[in-house]
Amino acid sequence: MARRPLPRILSNGSAQLARSRELARTAADSATDVLQPLIVIARGLRRLASAGRRKWAATPKDRRGTLLFLAAAVVLAVALVPYGPLLAVITLMAAAARQGRDRAPSASGGPDASQAERLRSLYEALVPYFSAAEDPAPLYAHGGAWEKAFPEYEFDDGGRVTRLVVRYPAYFTDGEAEARARIEHLLTVKSGRGREYHFAWDEEGNQLTLTVLAPLPTDIAAQRFVTAPGETVLGFTDPTAVHRTLPLAHGAERRDAPPVVWRTGPRSTEPHLLVLGQPGSGTSTLLRSIALQALRHGDVVVVDGGGTGEYACLTGRDGVLAVECGLAGALASLEWAATETERRLIAVNRARQAGHPPPDDAKRPLWLLLDRPTAFTHVAAADGRKDPQSLLQIPLRHGRAANVTVVVADQLDGVEGLGEAVRQYTRARVVLGPATADQLEAVLGAPPHTTPVAHVPPGRGYARLGTGPVHRLQVPATPDPYDDATGDAHRQAVLDLLPPRTTPADGETVPESARPAPEPAEAPPDRARPEPAGPVPTPAEPERAKTLPTLSKP
């Protein structure tokens, strides 16, 4: 039987399809060549718009009004200048053409040999974590191509990774903290130790962005920060972590830095602070910085459990009610603070019931700063006395309503010695010095988004206010001005912030010409006596004893 010939469309169809495909490709190339300037300008406009959006997002909210005013002024000036709009369009097109041209890195063809080897090593290290035997088309496989797994990467001059975008399969358990911690630890080890890395997980896009963080500045000295009453600067953090900056003076220079601001007072959700760290990590420096800021608007009581004299510069200063280093003085001062807290509560309650505003003496902030209170625990037990931490229960529980703020600083190895009230009511936390990820999570309540390093400068750590995010923190340099190892510039900066010394007169610490004489019920403990043996008696003690039982005891 003779074989019938195929139809013509089937016999020479492949040649026609190939010819048509070639004609289409030629037409597309010609159109691309003709429209290449428009493509470059459109790409440049898109990049300029993206840069403008990033600049707007990075601008603090308190400075956006100024930026809008400057933009409007520039637009108005361009509109009024002859041929201004035409020149503006030409300038914009030229900038777009410059931004839209092909970048040099993309034309280079990728990383060099050493960089490619580093990326291949990272890829092979991630294979056991991002691969599964049941995956028909695995993204990670031994000997596979790393180009699909790492779409973006950047290196420094030394050849180490500074930014890396990692794609991972959708079945990876990125919602589990343990799985994410394993990946973060692996990338930290393979990318280079001794640096801090920030990890941003995009669960929806199945991507992980690794970024090397720049070191926080350590040259910020103690100074008068531009803050409102009730705001305390704990330190400074990364520019992308907060939406606020503070103007700082650094010698003759002026610069802005993003602060970590702790808000206290009746409307604060975190009225008390707990600071933990290793010896020499800067906990006393932070307490001195807080004391200098608190003395601008309130009174301060300092209890130094370490007894090292770190706060001798505050003794006898205006607003400093007491600086105690002994057990007897600490018990007397804290007992007075508890009684003062109750008195303020009663005064505020009576004023509200009468329809009057709270009295001024109840609104003036009172700060209780305790450095290593656990050092008194064993001494008090051996002496048969009360633990000073037990006297903090009333200020901690009712301090927000009475405008009393408690700041406790201790060492990380002494956390177990802290009282239950201290651990329960100090919702603002700071950890300074080297610490493991488990220690940070145990103290702060959440793991940081950066990797802690083993060696950090003094005053470097992490801070978390309540349920907020964990911030990197660098405490401003506030050394003891009486220490011989302190530099002249830092010593003078602290001395300039200290209030003037007061001359005791009839038991008062402030001259009557400078401040109205307080009522007998408001008298603080006698500062002329370094270690009183018991509660300071006042003429209003009998009346206070009658009113205190009406307040419910915790």
Side-chain angles (χ1 to χ4, degrees), residues 32-109:
T32 301
D33 294 338
V34 173
L35 300 177
Q36 182 65 23
L38 295 179
I39 295 174
V40 171
I41 292 176
R43 188 190 304 128
L45 290 175
R46 186 175 68 253
R47 291 176 179 175
L48 290 176
S50 300
R53 285 196 299 269
R54 290 194 299 268
K55 179 66 176 177
W56 177 261
T59 303
K61 293 184 179 179
D62 56 345
R63 303 181 65 181
R64 291 183 178 179
T66 305
L67 186 61
L68 288 176
F69 176 77
L70 292 177
V74 170
V75 172
L76 181 61
V78 170
L80 295 179
V81 171
Y83 302 103
L86 179 60
L87 294 176
V89 172
I90 294 175
T91 304
L92 180 62
M93 294 298 104
R98 180 178 178 83
Q99 291 292 328
R101 61 184 181 177
D102 292 336
R103 305 293 178 87
S106 60
S108 63

Side-chain angles (χ1 to χ4, degrees), residues 279-347:
S281 59
T283 55
S284 300
T285 299
L286 179 55
L287 258 64
R288 267 191 302 269
S289 176
I290 294 175
L292 293 177
Q293 298 179 63
L295 287 173
R296 296 173 57 184
H297 307 286
D299 299 324
V300 173
V301 174
V302 180
V303 176
D304 184 9
T308 57
E310 293 278 346
Y311 309 95
C313 59
L314 300 175
T315 304
R317 302 287 179 173
D318 185 13
V320 181
L321 303 183
V323 178
E324 302 293 348
C325 299
L327 177 60
L331 288 172
S333 298
L334 295 181
E335 187 174 354
W336 172 85
T339 306
E340 174 67 10
T341 304
E342 294 176 337
R343 186 198 66 80
R344 291 186 176 208
L345 288 175
I346 294 173

Side-chain angles (χ1 to χ4, degrees), residues 251-492:
E253 300 178 358
R254 295 292 185 272
R255 63 178 178 179
D256 294 341
V260 177
V261 178
W262 173 40
R263 293 175 176 83
T264 58
R267 290 182 175 84
S268 174
T269 57
E270 302 87 20
H272 308 296
L273 176 68
L274 176 62
V275 183
L276 297 175
Q278 301 290 349
S281 59
T283 55
S284 300
T285 299
L286 179 55
L287 258 64
R288 267 191 302 269
S289 176
I290 294 175
L292 293 177
Q293 298 179 63
L295 287 173
R296 296 173 57 184
H297 307 286
D299 299 324
V300 173
V301 174
V302 180
V303 176
D304 184 9
T308 57
E310 293 278 346
Y311 309 95
C313 59
L314 300 175
T315 304
R317 302 287 179 173
D318 185 13
V320 181
L321 303 183
V323 178
E324 302 293 348
C325 299
L327 177 60
L331 288 172
S333 298
L334 295 181
E335 187 174 354
W336 172 85
T339 306
E340 174 67 10
T341 304
E342 294 176 337
R343 186 198 66 80
R344 291 186 176 208
L345 288 175
I346 294 173
V348 171
N349 188 25
R350 288 176 178 174
R352 289 176 178 173
Q353 289 181 357
H356 300 300
D360 294 338
D361 60 342
K363 293 191 299 182
R364 182 171 175 81
L366 175 61
W367 292 72
L368 306 179
L369 308 181
L370 293 88
D371 192 354
R372 293 195 63 192
T374 55
F376 291 125
T377 303
H378 299 291
V379 178
D383 202 13
R385 294 193 180 186
K386 185 186 303 184
D387 187 0
Q389 294 188 64
S390 62
L391 299 173
L392 293 175
Q393 188 170 5
I394 294 178
L396 286 170
R397 177 174 294 183
H398 305 289
R400 180 171 60 179
N403 213 353
V404 177
T405 303
V406 179
V407 180
V408 178
D410 215 304
Q411 297 181 2
L412 272 173
D413 53 5
V415 176
E416 299 298 331
L418 294 175
E420 183 64 27
V422 174
R423 287 181 287 181
Q424 180 179 359
Y425 291 104
T426 52
R427 293 170 47 84
R429 303 288 180 89
V430 172
V431 179
L432 299 179
T436 62
D438 295 336
Q439 289 177 329
L440 292 174
E441 186 174 1
V443 176
L444 302 177
H449 294 286
T450 61
T451 55
V453 294
H455 303 285
V456 294
R460 174 69 176 83
Y462 296 88
R464 189 188 187 203
L465 305 179
T467 58
V470 179
H471 298 291
R472 289 203 307 165
L473 182 72
Q474 179 62 50
V475 177
T478 316
D480 181 10
Y482 297 161
D483 189 358
D484 296 337
T486 303
D488 294 337
H490 288 167
R491 177 185 292 109
Q492 191 59 41

Side-chain angles (χ1 to χ4, degrees), residues 497-541:
L497 295 178
L498 288 173
R501 292 189 180 275
T502 56
T503 304
D506 296 333
E508 297 293 337
T509 59
V510 180
E512 295 182 359
S513 59
R515 183 187 299 176
E519 297 179 2
E522 304 167 9
D526 188 5
R527 285 179 291 174
R529 181 172 53 197
E531 291 189 4
V536 179
T538 60
E541 196 69 23

Side-chain angles (χ1 to χ4, degrees), residues 231-253:
E231 292 184 345
T232 303
V233 176
L234 299 179
F236 297 89
T237 184
D238 299 301
T240 57
V242 295
H243 302 284
R244 178 180 177 180
T245 59
L246 289 181
L248 301 177
H250 181 62
E253 300 178 358

